[in-house]
């Protein structure tokens, strides 16, 4: 029987991370995502994981960089100004081709903005955000159920493409409470299973049949850096061709189509339904 709970969006994200195999969480408090690190601070220890409240957003994303470099399933969360502070680290992770999940519970801006829910980080997120020509895997939930479902999917896609994945969610859904059908708990992988899964790229020392891997985003030779960027662009093209997901509602004979994401998508869906009755 499926397990159902009434949960806040932020709590649903945190529980989904645990059930999806996340065992390392590094965060820093900022409204409106504070329930995520608060939930993880006790829940992740129940499954043998580790929670660290970093001294800053910059520290948190670099802790994710380190954990991901060792092949761990790692996650961090923040909100708009905090995500901006993480951008350099995210760019490093993208160039090093490491998997991780980053949650952005978007608040209003520009500047420090306020704690009001917003969707103002769209362009930052889908265009990479930080320096360099990198791209993220981006999943934008429109319900608390999708908040939960997208975390496991994001982690799987991050490992599939060895690329950071971002959950682009707005503060309204993060604070909203809805019924959630919880995913089953994935079995915990042993250290040997993690080594086998990540042995071609993770940095965990030298095996008898494998030289040590060096994880870095620094390359001083221009011709080598060019090849790295060409490889990354080919990967991003494959992600775009194979992983685009969307929900089309009553579009078959439409003269006009409304495109939206997050909480706005719910409003637009209701609007289309009302107009269809006229």
């Amino acid at each position: 029987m499926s397990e159902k709970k009434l949960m806040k969006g932020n709590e649903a994200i945190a529980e989904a991370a645990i059930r999806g195999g996340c065992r390392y969480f590094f965060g820093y408090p900022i409204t409106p995502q504070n329930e995520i690190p608060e939930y993880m601070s006790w829940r992740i220890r129940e499954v043998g994981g580790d929670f660290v409240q970093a001294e800053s957003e910059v520290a948190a994303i670099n802790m994710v960089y380190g954990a991901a470099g060792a092949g761990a399933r790692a996650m961090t969360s923040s909100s708009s100004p905090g995500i901006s502070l993480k951008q350099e680290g995210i760019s490093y992770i993208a160039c090093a081709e490491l998997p991780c999940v980053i949650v952005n519970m978007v608040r209003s801006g520009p500047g420090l903005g306020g704690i009001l829910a917003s969707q103002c980080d769209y362009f930052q997120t889908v265009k990479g955000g930080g320096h360099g020509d990198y791209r993220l895997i981006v999943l934008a939930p429109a319900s608390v159920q999708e908040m939960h479902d997208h975390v496991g999917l994001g982690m799987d896609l991050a490992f599939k493409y060895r690329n950071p994945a971002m959950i682009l969610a707005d503060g309204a859904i993060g604070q909203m409470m809805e019924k959630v059908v919880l995913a089953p708990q994935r079995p915990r992988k042993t250290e040997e299973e993690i080594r086998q899964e990540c042995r071609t790229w993770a940095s965990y020392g030298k095996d008898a049949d494998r030289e040590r891997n060096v994880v870095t985003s620094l390359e001083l030779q221009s011709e080598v850096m060019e090849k790295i960027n060409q490889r990354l662009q080919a990967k991003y093209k494959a992600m775009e061709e194979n992983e685009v997901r969307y929900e089309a509602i009553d579009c078959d004979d439409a003269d006009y189509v409304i495109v939206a994401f997050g909480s706005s998508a719910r409003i637009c869906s209701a609007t289309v339904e009302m107009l269809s009755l006229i």
Side-chain angles (χ1 to χ4, degrees), residues 124-164:
Q124 178 198 53
T125 305
V126 300
K127 299 301 181 184
H131 62 284
D133 296 322
Y134 75 89
R135 293 290 182 268
L136 300 173
I137 298 165
V138 182
L139 300 168
S143 66
V144 177
Q145 183 67 61
E146 288 186 352
M147 286 274 216
H148 178 80
D149 296 344
H150 284 7
V151 175
L153 173 61
M155 190 69 76
D156 289 342
L157 292 175
F159 270 80
K160 178 179 178 179
Y161 291 99
R162 282 175 49 201
N163 200 75

Side-chain angles (χ1 to χ4, degrees), residues 57-73:
E57 288 90 350
V58 175
I61 193 61
N62 281 285
M63 291 175 184
V64 171
Y65 187 1
R73 290 184 174 247

Side-chain angles (χ1 to χ4, degrees), residues 76-120:
T76 187
S77 65
S78 191
S79 184
S80 303
I83 293 294
S84 294
L85 291 170
K86 294 178 187 286
Q87 292 299 336
E88 182 181 45
I90 296 172
S91 180
Y92 284 14
I93 293 170
C95 187
E97 295 191 79
L98 298 176
C100 67
V101 171
I102 304 154
V103 178
N104 183 3
M105 200 61 59
V106 183
R107 60 190 277 180
S108 61
L112 188 59
I115 62 174
L116 302 175
S118 181
Q119 295 181 337
C120 54

Side-chain angles (χ1 to χ4, degrees), residues 45-57:
R45 291 193 172 99
E46 292 185 342
V47 294
D50 289 300
F51 167 89
V52 177
Q53 179 175 309
E55 61 268 33
S56 69
E57 288 90 350

Side-chain angles (χ1 to χ4, degrees), residues 7 77 93 115 154 176 194 212 216-217 220 236 248 252 263 265:
M7 305 184 79
S77 65
I93 293 170
I115 62 174
M176 184 185 300
I194 294 173
R212 65 190 181 96
T216 181
S217 63
L220 299 180
Y236 302 148
D252 293 340
S263 58

Side-chain angles (χ1 to χ4, degrees), residues 153-274:
L153 173 61
M155 190 69 76
D156 289 342
L157 292 175
F159 270 80
K160 178 179 178 179
Y161 291 99
R162 282 175 49 201
N163 200 75
M166 179 168 285
I167 310 298
L168 180 64
D170 56 65
I173 303 177
Q175 297 300 316
M176 184 185 300
M177 293 192 76
E178 290 183 324
K179 179 185 70 176
V180 181
V181 178
L182 298 174
Q185 176 69 60
R186 297 187 187 183
R188 182 173 184 176
K189 292 186 177 181
T190 65
E191 184 175 334
E192 181 56 32
E193 287 175 327
I194 294 173
R195 282 175 175 262
Q196 290 303 317
E197 180 182 41
C198 309
R199 70 188 314 276
T200 61
W201 53 269
S203 178
Y204 55 76
K206 181 180 177 181
D207 285 340
D209 60 343
R210 190 213 67 164
E211 291 296 321
R212 65 190 181 96
N213 294 321
V214 177
V215 176
T216 181
S217 63
L218 172 67
E219 181 48 66
L220 299 180
Q221 298 183 48
S222 59
E223 63 273 17
V224 177
M225 195 72 236
E226 180 183 14
K227 291 180 180 179
I228 291 173
N229 273 288
Q230 289 172 345
R231 185 178 70 246
L232 291 175
Q233 293 304 315
K235 177 170 70 175
Y236 302 148
K237 183 179 180 181
M239 287 159 45
E240 184 177 356
E241 290 176 348
N242 299 323
E243 306 299 345
V244 173
R245 290 165 168 80
Y246 61 90
E247 182 181 13
I249 302 173
D250 296 333
C251 293
D252 293 340
D253 58 347
D255 294 321
Y256 299 95
V257 175
I258 303 173
V259 180
F261 71 97
S263 58
S264 294
R266 299 166 70 120
I267 297 170
C268 292
S269 177
T271 301
V272 170
E273 184 178 354
M274 291 170 64

